[in-house]
Amino acid sequence: MPSSSEPSAQPDDGLEVAVDQAISACGGDLRAAIRALIVANDYLETEVGELMKAVSHAYARGRFNSYSG
C-alpha cells in the first residue's frame, strides 16, 4: 500500500474536483472539511430515514401499488 498522499491513477470522475471544493470551502482546513462532510452526511441520512417512513406509511395506506413486473 503506497504511503503517498497523491491520488491513485484513476479516471477523473469529478471526485477530485469535489474534494478540492470541499477543502476550499473550509479555508483549506482538512479537519473542518471532514467535520462539515460528516454533518452533511448525518443530515442526509436523517432525511432518507424520514422519507422511508413516509413512503412506508403511504404504501400501507394503499397509495402505492406494488410492482408486479
Side-chain angles (χ1 to χ4, degrees):
M1 179 176 222
S3 62
S4 173
S5 63
E6 293 296 316
S8 61
Q10 295 178 351
D12 185 17
D13 59 8
L15 181 59
E16 292 302 315
V17 173
V19 169
D20 290 339
Q21 289 174 340
I23 294 169
S24 177
C26 294
D29 184 348
L30 297 179
R31 289 184 59 83
I34 294 169
R35 186 180 302 109
L37 293 171
I38 291 170
V39 169
N41 191 56
D42 286 345
Y43 171 77
L44 292 173
E45 285 179 352
T46 300
E47 287 293 305
V48 166
E50 293 298 317
L51 289 171
M52 288 174 64
K53 286 184 213 173
V55 168
S56 292
H57 290 301
Y59 183 79
R61 291 185 190 130
R63 293 186 183 170
F64 292 106
N65 296 324
S66 59
Y67 180 73
S68 59

